[in-house]
Amino acid sequence: MPTLLVAEHDNKVLKDATHKAVTAAQGLASEIHVLVAGQNCRPVADAAAKLDGVAKVLLADGAPYEHQLAEPMAALIVSLAGPYEAIVAPATTAGKNYLPRVAALLDVMQISDISKVVGSDTFERLIYAGNAVQTVRSRDAKKVITVRTAAFQAAGEGGAAPVETVSAASDPGISAFVGEELSKSDRPELTSAKVIISGGRAMQSRENFTKYIEPVADKLGAAVGASRAAVDAGYAPNDWQVGQTGKVVAPELYIAVGISGAIQHLAGMKDSKVIVAINKDEEAPIFQVADYGLVADLYQALPELEQELGKLGR
């Protein structure tokens, strides 16, 4: 039986999380159908059709799906669930919003935040802030799964799947979109950035993020992150937080500046390909996971790093 994958998008662009979720779904079934639900989102459906491994794209275009509210999304997914053995979504804010409701309506147990597909009914997921791996097996006829996208490589492009329009399901009408405030930045999105530089409590102020972290980020074309301690102290906004209670990332390069390396932070970034740590405490736990470590005062090291990047034409 095929797998239904719910796409992550903003009605204009297909998010990188979908590419990675496709890779996870390939371990479940030989045939993957992608559901694109939104408003005026045909370009997203066309992009999904190009992903390797996708056999069909289902397009549900209508006003109830513009903001992917849990109730109309769940009603749509359940109406399409019949022929599918598994329903999959990235473990993002949107996926964590509507998929639990889908599981409840189907009367099955959700399998959350998987990091590996062992078999069609067996999965691995991280627990205890990433310090242990739990293997779970589900006997449910339909599997409802969220994917820890940082654990999977993005699927390539080269496919040419057909796009099929599906009818909208009845909207329960028990929630309504009121408004949203989006932060705007010229930097890459944190969860899809190839390079991230994060600051910790040692940054001491929001001004120091601006003065020391952001110039290096601009030269590297990097996203800016922060530890929970820095966010709680008001040094950085909530959407910069990396960690167990923040965003889970896996960039090609992660630079941790003034971050001690508590397990809650490591849970959000230890899958990074290369980890660089800058900390004046040589006993800091972050050095245990770092590929490269620099024991130095960040207020001296970062300006020097910025200067050297400038010499390289960055």
Side-chain angles (χ1 to χ4, degrees), residues 135-231:
T135 301
V136 296
R137 176 174 292 169
S138 172
R139 295 181 178 178
D140 287 328
K142 290 187 185 298
K143 316 297 188 295
V144 176
I145 302 166
T146 60
V147 175
R148 183 185 177 97
T149 54
F152 296 91
Q153 295 291 326
E157 296 184 355
V163 178
E164 177 182 310
T165 301
V166 295
S167 301
S170 177
D171 184 357
I174 56 178
S175 65
F177 178 78
V178 176
E180 64 185 358
E181 293 182 7
L182 300 177
S183 58
K184 296 182 179 180
S185 174
D186 293 331
R187 298 191 183 94
E189 184 182 1
L190 191 60
T191 53
S192 60
K194 294 183 178 180
V195 180
I196 297 173
I197 178 169
S198 289
R201 181 161 37 198
M203 295 307 302
Q204 298 182 347
S205 70
R206 177 68 184 91
E207 291 70 24
N208 284 338
F209 265 87
T210 303
K211 182 178 180 180
Y212 294 99
I213 294 284
E214 294 185 18
V216 176
D218 291 338
K219 289 187 179 298
L220 290 173
V224 177
S227 68
R228 177 173 179 174
V231 171

Coordinates of all heavy atoms in Angstrom, one line a residue, residues 135-231:
T135 N 13.4 2.1 20.0 CA 12.9 1.4 18.8 C 11.4 1.1 19.1 O 11.1 0.4 20.1 CB 13.6 0.1 18.5 OG1 15.0 0.4 18.3 CG2 13.1 -0.6 17.3
V136 N 10.5 1.5 18.2 CA 9.1 1.3 18.4 C 8.5 0.5 17.2 O 9.0 0.6 16.1 CB 8.3 2.6 18.6 CG1 8.8 3.3 19.8 CG2 8.5 3.5 17.4
R137 N 7.5 -0.4 17.6 CA 6.8 -1.1 16.5 C 5.3 -0.9 16.7 O 4.8 -1.0 17.8 CB 7.2 -2.6 16.6 CG 6.4 -3.5 15.6 CD 6.9 -4.9 15.7 NE 8.2 -5.0 15.1 CZ 9.0 -6.1 15.3 NH1 8.5 -7.2 15.9 NH2 10.2 -6.1 14.8
S138 N 4.7 -0.6 15.6 CA 3.3 -0.3 15.6 C 2.5 -1.4 14.9 O 2.9 -1.9 13.8 CB 3.0 1.0 14.9 OG 1.6 1.2 14.8
R139 N 1.4 -1.9 15.6 CA 0.5 -2.9 14.9 C -0.7 -2.2 14.3 O -1.6 -2.9 13.8 CB 0.1 -3.9 16.0 CG 1.3 -4.7 16.5 CD 0.8 -5.7 17.6 NE 1.9 -6.6 18.0 CZ 1.8 -7.5 19.0 NH1 0.6 -7.7 19.5 NH2 2.8 -8.2 19.3
D140 N -0.8 -0.9 14.4 CA -2.0 -0.2 13.8 C -2.0 -0.4 12.3 O -1.0 -0.5 11.6 CB -1.9 1.3 14.1 CG -2.2 1.6 15.5 OD1 -3.0 0.9 16.2 OD2 -1.6 2.6 16.1
A141 N -3.2 -0.6 11.8 CA -3.4 -0.8 10.4 C -2.9 0.4 9.6 O -2.4 0.3 8.4 CB -4.9 -1.1 10.0
K142 N -3.1 1.6 10.1 CA -2.5 2.8 9.5 C -1.5 3.5 10.4 O -1.8 3.6 11.6 CB -3.7 3.8 9.2 CG -4.6 3.3 8.0 CD -5.6 4.4 7.7 CE -6.6 3.9 6.6 NZ -5.9 3.5 5.4
K143 N -0.4 3.8 9.9 CA 0.6 4.5 10.7 C 0.5 6.0 10.5 O 0.5 6.4 9.4 CB 2.0 4.0 10.3 CG 2.2 2.5 10.1 CD 1.9 1.7 11.4 CE 2.3 0.2 11.2 NZ 1.5 -0.5 10.2
V144 N 0.5 6.7 11.6 CA 0.5 8.2 11.5 C 1.9 8.6 12.1 O 2.1 8.4 13.3 CB -0.7 8.8 12.3 CG1 -0.6 10.3 12.2 CG2 -2.0 8.3 11.6
I145 N 2.7 9.3 11.3 CA 4.1 9.4 11.6 C 4.6 10.9 11.4 O 4.3 11.4 10.3 CB 5.0 8.5 10.8 CG1 4.6 7.0 11.0 CG2 6.5 8.7 11.1 CD1 5.2 6.1 10.0
T146 N 5.3 11.4 12.3 CA 6.0 12.7 12.1 C 7.5 12.4 12.0 O 8.0 11.5 12.7 CB 5.8 13.7 13.2 OG1 6.2 13.3 14.4 CG2 4.3 14.1 13.2
V147 N 8.2 13.1 11.1 CA 9.6 12.8 10.8 C 10.5 13.9 11.3 O 10.3 15.1 11.1 CB 9.8 12.7 9.3 CG1 11.2 12.5 8.9 CG2 8.9 11.5 8.7
R148 N 11.5 13.5 12.1 CA 12.6 14.4 12.5 C 13.5 14.6 11.3 O 14.4 13.8 11.0 CB 13.4 13.7 13.6 CG 14.5 14.6 14.2 CD 15.3 13.8 15.2 NE 16.4 14.5 15.8 CZ 16.4 15.2 17.0 NH1 15.3 15.1 17.7 NH2 17.4 15.8 17.4
T149 N 13.2 15.7 10.5 CA 13.8 15.9 9.2 C 15.3 16.0 9.3 O 16.0 15.8 8.3 CB 13.2 17.1 8.5 OG1 13.3 18.2 9.4 CG2 11.7 16.8 8.2
A150 N 15.9 16.5 10.4 CA 17.3 16.7 10.6 C 18.1 15.4 10.4 O 19.3 15.3 10.1 CB 17.7 17.3 11.9
A151 N 17.4 14.2 10.6 CA 18.0 12.9 10.5 C 18.1 12.3 9.1 O 18.6 11.3 8.9 CB 17.3 11.9 11.5
F152 N 17.5 13.0 8.1 CA 17.4 12.5 6.8 C 18.0 13.4 5.8 O 17.9 14.6 5.9 CB 16.0 12.1 6.4 CG 15.3 11.1 7.3 CD1 14.7 11.4 8.5 CD2 15.4 9.7 6.9 CE1 14.1 10.5 9.3 CE2 14.8 8.8 7.8 CZ 14.2 9.1 8.9
Q153 N 18.6 12.9 4.7 CA 19.1 13.7 3.6 C 17.9 14.1 2.7 O 16.9 13.4 2.7 CB 20.0 12.9 2.7 CG 21.3 12.5 3.5 CD 22.2 13.7 3.7 OE1 22.2 14.6 3.0 NE2 22.9 13.7 4.9
A154 N 18.0 15.2 2.1 CA 16.9 15.7 1.2 C 16.9 14.9 -0.1 O 17.9 14.5 -0.7 CB 17.2 17.2 0.9
A155 N 15.7 14.6 -0.5 CA 15.5 13.9 -1.8 C 15.9 14.8 -2.9 O 15.7 16.0 -2.9 CB 14.0 13.4 -1.9
G156 N 16.4 14.2 -4.0 CA 16.8 15.0 -5.1 C 15.6 15.3 -6.0 O 14.5 14.9 -5.8
E157 N 15.9 16.0 -7.1 CA 14.9 16.4 -8.1 C 15.2 15.7 -9.4 O 16.3 15.6 -9.8 CB 14.7 17.9 -8.2 CG 14.3 18.6 -7.0 CD 14.1 20.1 -7.2 OE1 14.4 20.6 -8.3 OE2 13.6 20.7 -6.2
G158 N 14.2 15.3 -10.1 CA 14.4 14.7 -11.4 C 13.1 13.8 -11.8 O 13.1 13.2 -12.8
G159 N 12.1 13.9 -10.9 CA 10.9 13.1 -11.2 C 9.9 13.9 -12.0 O 10.2 15.1 -12.4
A160 N 8.9 13.3 -12.4 CA 7.8 13.9 -13.2 C 6.5 13.3 -12.9 O 5.8 12.7 -13.7 CB 8.1 13.8 -14.7
A161 N 6.1 13.4 -11.6 CA 4.9 12.8 -11.2 C 3.6 13.6 -11.7 O 3.7 14.8 -11.8 CB 4.8 12.7 -9.6
P162 N 2.5 12.9 -11.9 CA 1.3 13.6 -12.3 C 0.7 14.3 -11.1 O 0.9 13.9 -10.0 CB 0.4 12.5 -12.8 CG 0.9 11.3 -12.0 CD 2.4 11.4 -11.9
V163 N 0.0 15.4 -11.4 CA -0.7 16.2 -10.3 C -2.2 16.0 -10.5 O -2.7 16.3 -11.6 CB -0.3 17.7 -10.4 CG1 -1.1 18.5 -9.4 CG2 1.2 17.9 -10.3
E164 N -2.8 15.5 -9.5 CA -4.2 15.2 -9.5 C -5.0 16.1 -8.5 O -4.6 16.2 -7.3 CB -4.4 13.7 -9.1 CG -5.9 13.3 -9.1 CD -6.0 11.8 -8.7 OE1 -5.3 11.0 -9.3 OE2 -6.7 11.5 -7.8
T165 N -6.0 16.7 -8.9 CA -6.8 17.6 -8.1 C -7.8 16.8 -7.3 O -8.5 15.9 -7.8 CB -7.6 18.7 -8.9 OG1 -6.6 19.4 -9.6 CG2 -8.4 19.6 -8.0
V166 N -7.8 17.0 -5.9 CA -8.8 16.3 -5.1 C -9.8 17.3 -4.5 O -9.5 18.5 -4.3 CB -8.0 15.6 -3.9 CG1 -7.2 14.5 -4.5 CG2 -7.2 16.5 -3.1
S167 N -10.9 16.8 -4.2 CA -12.0 17.7 -3.6 C -11.7 18.0 -2.2 O -11.2 17.2 -1.4 CB -13.4 17.0 -3.7 OG -13.6 16.7 -5.1
A168 N -12.1 19.2 -1.8 CA -12.0 19.7 -0.4 C -13.0 18.9 0.5 O -14.1 18.6 0.1 CB -12.3 21.2 -0.3
A169 N -12.5 18.6 1.7 CA -13.4 17.9 2.6 C -14.2 19.0 3.4 O -13.9 20.2 3.3 CB -12.6 17.2 3.7
S170 N -15.3 18.6 4.0 CA -16.1 19.5 4.8 C -15.3 20.1 5.9 O -14.7 19.4 6.7 CB -17.3 18.7 5.3 OG -18.1 19.5 6.1
D171 N -15.4 21.4 6.0 CA -14.6 22.2 7.0 C -15.4 22.1 8.3 O -16.6 22.6 8.4 CB -14.5 23.6 6.6 CG -13.6 24.4 7.5 OD1 -13.2 23.9 8.6 OD2 -13.3 25.6 7.2
P172 N -14.8 21.6 9.4 CA -15.6 21.5 10.7 C -16.0 22.9 11.2 O -16.9 23.0 11.9 CB -14.6 20.9 11.6 CG -13.6 20.1 10.7 CD -13.5 20.9 9.5
G173 N -15.2 23.9 10.8 CA -15.6 25.3 11.1 C -15.5 25.6 12.6 O -16.2 26.5 13.1
I174 N -14.6 25.0 13.3 CA -14.5 25.2 14.7 C -13.2 26.1 15.1 O -12.9 26.3 16.2 CB -14.5 23.9 15.6 CG1 -13.4 23.0 15.1 CG2 -15.8 23.3 15.5 CD1 -13.3 21.7 15.9
S175 N -12.5 26.5 14.1 CA -11.4 27.4 14.3 C -11.3 28.3 13.1 O -11.8 28.0 12.0 CB -10.1 26.6 14.4 OG -9.7 26.0 13.2
A176 N -10.7 29.5 13.3 CA -10.6 30.5 12.2 C -9.2 31.2 12.4 O -8.7 31.4 13.5 CB -11.7 31.5 12.3
F177 N -8.6 31.5 11.2 CA -7.4 32.2 11.2 C -7.6 33.7 11.5 O -8.5 34.4 10.9 CB -6.7 32.1 9.8 CG -5.4 32.8 9.7 CD1 -4.3 32.3 10.3 CD2 -5.4 34.0 9.0 CE1 -3.1 33.0 10.2 CE2 -4.2 34.7 8.9 CZ -3.0 34.2 9.5
V178 N -6.9 34.2 12.5 CA -7.0 35.6 12.9 C -6.0 36.5 12.3 O -6.2 37.6 11.7 CB -7.1 35.8 14.4 CG1 -7.1 37.2 14.9 CG2 -8.2 35.0 15.0
G179 N -4.7 36.1 12.4 CA -3.6 36.9 11.9 C -2.3 36.3 12.3 O -2.2 35.3 13.0
E180 N -1.2 36.8 11.7 CA 0.1 36.3 12.0 C 1.1 37.5 11.9 O 0.9 38.4 11.2 CB 0.5 35.2 11.1 CG 0.6 35.6 9.6 CD 0.9 34.4 8.7 OE1 1.1 33.3 9.2 OE2 1.0 34.6 7.5
E181 N 2.2 37.4 12.7 CA 3.3 38.3 12.6 C 4.6 37.5 12.3 O 5.0 36.6 13.0 CB 3.5 39.1 13.9 CG 2.3 40.0 14.2 CD 2.6 40.8 15.5 OE1 3.7 40.7 16.1 OE2 1.6 41.4 16.0
L182 N 5.1 37.8 11.1 CA 6.3 37.0 10.7 C 7.5 37.9 10.7 O 7.5 39.1 10.3 CB 6.1 36.6 9.2 CG 4.9 35.7 9.0 CD1 4.8 35.3 7.5 CD2 5.0 34.4 9.8
S183 N 8.6 37.3 11.3 CA 9.9 38.0 11.3 C 10.5 37.9 9.9 O 10.5 36.9 9.3 CB 10.8 37.4 12.4 OG 11.0 36.1 12.1
K184 N 11.1 39.0 9.5 CA 11.7 39.1 8.2 C 13.2 39.2 8.3 O 13.7 39.9 9.1 CB 11.1 40.3 7.4 CG 9.6 40.2 7.1 CD 9.2 41.4 6.3 CE 7.7 41.3 6.0 NZ 7.2 42.4 5.1
S185 N 13.9 38.4 7.5 CA 15.3 38.4 7.5 C 15.9 38.1 6.2 O 15.3 37.3 5.4 CB 15.8 37.4 8.6 OG 17.2 37.3 8.6
D186 N 17.1 38.6 5.9 CA 17.7 38.3 4.6 C 18.6 37.1 4.8 O 19.1 36.6 3.8 CB 18.6 39.5 4.2 CG 17.8 40.7 3.8 OD1 16.7 40.6 3.3 OD2 18.4 41.9 4.0
R187 N 18.7 36.6 6.0 CA 19.5 35.4 6.2 C 18.6 34.1 5.9 O 17.4 34.2 5.9 CB 20.0 35.3 7.7 CG 20.9 36.5 8.0 CD 21.5 36.3 9.4 NE 22.4 37.5 9.7 CZ 21.9 38.5 10.4 NH1 20.7 38.5 10.9 NH2 22.7 39.5 10.7
P188 N 19.3 33.0 5.8 CA 18.6 31.7 5.5 C 17.7 31.3 6.7 O 17.9 31.7 7.8 CB 19.7 30.7 5.3 CG 20.9 31.5 5.0 CD 20.8 32.8 5.7
E189 N 16.7 30.5 6.4 CA 15.8 30.0 7.4 C 16.6 29.0 8.3 O 17.4 28.2 7.8 CB 14.6 29.3 6.8 CG 13.6 28.8 7.8 CD 12.5 28.0 7.1 OE1 12.5 27.9 5.9 OE2 11.6 27.6 7.9
L190 N 16.4 29.1 9.6 CA 17.3 28.4 10.5 C 17.2 26.9 10.2 O 18.3 26.2 10.2 CB 16.8 28.6 12.0 CG 17.7 28.2 13.1 CD1 19.1 28.8 13.0 CD2 17.1 28.5 14.4
T191 N 16.1 26.3 10.0 CA 16.0 24.8 9.9 C 16.5 24.3 8.6 O 16.7 23.1 8.4 CB 14.5 24.4 10.1 OG1 13.7 25.1 9.2 CG2 14.1 24.6 11.5
S192 N 16.7 25.2 7.6 CA 17.2 24.7 6.3 C 18.6 25.3 5.9 O 19.1 25.0 4.8 CB 16.2 25.0 5.2 OG 16.0 26.4 5.1
A193 N 19.2 26.1 6.8 CA 20.4 26.7 6.5 C 21.6 25.7 6.5 O 21.6 24.7 7.2 CB 20.7 27.8 7.6
K194 N 22.5 25.9 5.6 CA 23.7 25.1 5.5 C 24.8 25.5 6.5 O 25.6 24.6 6.9 CB 24.3 25.1 4.1 CG 23.4 24.5 3.0 CD 24.0 24.5 1.7 CE 23.1 23.9 0.6 NZ 23.7 23.9 -0.7
V195 N 24.7 26.7 7.0 CA 25.7 27.2 8.0 C 24.9 27.9 9.1 O 24.0 28.7 8.7 CB 26.7 28.1 7.4 CG1 27.7 28.6 8.5 CG2 27.5 27.4 6.2
I196 N 25.2 27.6 10.3 CA 24.5 28.3 11.4 C 25.6 28.7 12.4 O 26.5 27.9 12.8 CB 23.5 27.4 12.1 CG1 22.4 27.0 11.2 CG2 22.9 28.0 13.4 CD1 21.4 26.0 11.7
I197 N 25.5 29.9 12.9 CA 26.3 30.3 14.1 C 25.4 30.7 15.2 O 24.5 31.5 15.0 CB 27.3 31.5 13.7 CG1 28.1 31.9 14.9 CG2 26.5 32.7 13.0 CD1 29.2 32.9 14.5
S198 N 25.6 30.1 16.4 CA 24.7 30.3 17.5 C 25.5 30.9 18.7 O 26.7 30.5 18.9 CB 24.1 29.0 17.9 OG 23.1 28.5 17.0
G199 N 24.8 31.7 19.4 CA 25.4 32.3 20.6 C 24.7 31.8 21.9 O 23.5 31.5 21.9
G200 N 25.4 31.8 23.0 CA 24.9 31.3 24.3 C 24.8 32.5 25.3 O 24.9 33.7 24.9
R201 N 24.6 32.1 26.5 CA 24.4 33.1 27.6 C 25.7 34.0 27.7 O 25.6 35.1 28.2 CB 24.2 32.4 28.9 CG 24.0 33.3 30.1 CD 23.2 32.6 31.2 NE 23.6 31.2 31.4 CZ 22.9 30.4 32.1 NH1 21.8 30.7 32.7 NH2 23.3 29.1 32.2
A202 N 26.8 33.4 27.3 CA 28.1 34.2 27.4 C 28.1 35.5 26.5 O 28.9 36.3 26.7 CB 29.3 33.3 27.1
M203 N 27.1 35.6 25.6 CA 27.0 36.8 24.8 C 26.6 38.0 25.6 O 26.9 39.1 25.2 CB 26.0 36.6 23.7 CG 26.4 35.5 22.7 SD 28.0 35.7 21.9 CE 27.9 37.3 21.2
Q204 N 25.9 37.8 26.7 CA 25.7 38.8 27.8 C 24.6 39.9 27.4 O 24.1 40.5 28.3 CB 27.0 39.5 28.2 CG 28.0 38.5 28.9 CD 29.2 39.2 29.3 OE1 29.5 40.4 29.0 NE2 30.0 38.5 30.1
S205 N 24.4 40.1 26.1 CA 23.4 41.1 25.7 C 22.9 40.9 24.3 O 23.6 40.3 23.5 CB 23.9 42.5 25.9 OG 24.9 42.8 25.0
R206 N 21.8 41.5 24.0 CA 21.3 41.5 22.6 C 22.3 42.3 21.7 O 22.5 41.9 20.5 CB 19.9 42.1 22.5 CG 19.3 42.2 21.1 CD 19.1 40.8 20.5 NE 18.6 40.9 19.1 CZ 19.4 40.8 18.1 NH1 20.7 40.7 18.3 NH2 18.9 40.8 16.9
E207 N 22.8 43.3 22.2 CA 23.7 44.2 21.5 C 25.0 43.4 21.1 O 25.5 43.6 20.0 CB 24.1 45.4 22.3 CG 23.0 46.4 22.5 CD 22.0 45.9 23.5 OE1 22.2 45.0 24.3 OE2 20.8 46.4 23.4
N208 N 25.4 42.5 21.9 CA 26.6 41.7 21.6 C 26.3 40.7 20.4 O 27.2 40.3 19.7 CB 27.1 41.0 22.8 CG 27.9 41.9 23.7 OD1 28.4 42.9 23.3 ND2 28.0 41.5 25.0
F209 N 25.1 40.2 20.4 CA 24.7 39.4 19.2 C 24.8 40.2 17.9 O 25.4 39.7 16.9 CB 23.2 38.9 19.3 CG 23.1 37.5 19.9 CD1 23.1 37.3 21.3 CD2 23.1 36.4 19.1 CE1 22.9 36.1 21.9 CE2 22.9 35.1 19.7 CZ 22.9 35.0 21.1
T210 N 24.3 41.4 18.0 CA 24.4 42.3 16.8 C 25.9 42.7 16.5 O 26.2 42.7 15.3 CB 23.6 43.6 17.1 OG1 22.3 43.3 17.4 CG2 23.6 44.5 15.9
K211 N 26.7 42.9 17.5 CA 28.0 43.4 17.3 C 29.0 42.2 16.9 O 29.9 42.5 16.0 CB 28.5 44.1 18.5 CG 29.9 44.6 18.4 CD 30.3 45.4 19.7 CE 31.7 46.0 19.6 NZ 32.1 46.7 20.9
Y212 N 28.8 41.0 17.4 CA 29.8 40.0 17.3 C 29.3 38.8 16.4 O 30.1 38.3 15.6 CB 30.3 39.5 18.6 CG 31.0 40.5 19.5 CD1 30.4 41.2 20.5 CD2 32.4 40.7 19.2 CE1 31.1 42.1 21.2 CE2 33.1 41.7 20.0 CZ 32.4 42.4 21.0 OH 33.1 43.3 21.7
I213 N 28.1 38.4 16.7 CA 27.6 37.2 16.0 C 27.2 37.5 14.5 O 27.5 36.8 13.6 CB 26.4 36.5 16.7 CG1 26.9 36.0 18.1 CG2 25.8 35.4 15.9 CD1 27.7 34.7 18.0
E214 N 26.3 38.5 14.4 CA 25.7 38.8 13.1 C 26.7 39.2 12.0 O 26.5 38.8 10.8 CB 24.6 39.8 13.3 CG 23.4 39.3 14.1 CD 22.3 40.3 14.2 OE1 22.2 41.2 13.4 OE2 21.4 40.2 15.1
P215 N 27.8 39.9 12.3 CA 28.7 40.2 11.2 C 29.4 39.0 10.6 O 29.6 38.8 9.4 CB 29.7 41.1 11.9 CG 29.0 41.8 13.0 CD 28.1 40.8 13.5
V216 N 29.7 38.0 11.5 CA 30.3 36.7 11.0 C 29.2 36.0 10.2 O 29.5 35.4 9.2 CB 30.8 35.9 12.2 CG1 31.3 34.5 11.8 CG2 31.9 36.7 13.0
A217 N 28.0 36.0 10.7 CA 26.9 35.3 10.0 C 26.7 35.9 8.6 O 26.6 35.1 7.6 CB 25.6 35.4 10.8
D218 N 26.8 37.2 8.5 CA 26.6 37.8 7.2 C 27.7 37.4 6.2 O 27.5 37.2 5.0 CB 26.6 39.3 7.3 CG 25.3 39.8 8.0 OD1 24.3 39.0 8.0 OD2 25.3 40.9 8.6
K219 N 29.0 37.3 6.7 CA 30.1 36.9 5.8 C 30.0 35.5 5.4 O 30.5 35.1 4.4 CB 31.4 37.3 6.5 CG 31.7 38.8 6.7 CD 33.1 39.0 7.2 CE 33.4 40.5 7.3 NZ 33.3 41.2 5.9
L220 N 29.4 34.6 6.3 CA 29.3 33.2 6.0 C 28.0 32.9 5.2 O 27.9 31.7 4.8 CB 29.4 32.4 7.2 CG 30.8 32.3 8.0 CD1 30.6 31.6 9.3 CD2 31.8 31.6 7.1
G221 N 27.1 33.8 5.1 CA 25.8 33.5 4.6 C 25.0 32.6 5.5 O 24.3 31.7 5.0
A222 N 25.2 32.7 6.8 CA 24.7 31.8 7.8 C 23.4 32.3 8.4 O 23.2 33.5 8.5 CB 25.8 31.5 8.8
A223 N 22.7 31.4 9.0 CA 21.6 31.7 9.9 C 22.1 31.9 11.3 O 23.2 31.4 11.6 CB 20.5 30.6 9.8
V224 N 21.4 32.6 12.1 CA 21.8 32.9 13.5 C 20.9 32.1 14.4 O 19.7 32.1 14.3 CB 21.7 34.4 13.8 CG1 22.1 34.6 15.3 CG2 22.7 35.2 12.9
G225 N 21.5 31.4 15.4 CA 20.8 30.6 16.3 C 21.2 31.1 17.7 O 22.0 31.9 17.9
A226 N 20.6 30.5 18.7 CA 20.8 30.8 20.1 C 20.5 29.6 21.0 O 19.6 28.8 20.7 CB 20.1 32.1 20.6
S227 N 21.1 29.6 22.2 CA 20.8 28.6 23.2 C 19.5 29.0 23.9 O 19.2 30.2 23.9 CB 21.9 28.4 24.1 OG 22.1 29.5 24.9
R228 N 18.9 28.1 24.6 CA 17.7 28.5 25.4 C 18.1 29.6 26.5 O 17.3 30.5 26.8 CB 17.1 27.3 26.1 CG 15.9 27.7 27.0 CD 15.1 26.5 27.5 NE 14.0 26.9 28.3 CZ 13.1 26.1 28.8 NH1 13.2 24.8 28.6 NH2 12.1 26.5 29.6
A229 N 19.3 29.4 27.1 CA 19.7 30.3 28.1 C 19.8 31.8 27.5 O 19.4 32.7 28.2 CB 21.1 29.9 28.7
A230 N 20.3 31.9 26.3 CA 20.3 33.2 25.7 C 19.0 33.8 25.4 O 18.7 35.0 25.5 CB 21.2 33.1 24.4
V231 N 18.1 32.9 24.9 CA 16.7 33.3 24.6 C 16.0 33.7 25.9 O 15.3 34.8 26.0 CB 15.9 32.2 23.9 CG1 14.5 32.6 23.7 CG2 16.6 32.0 22.5

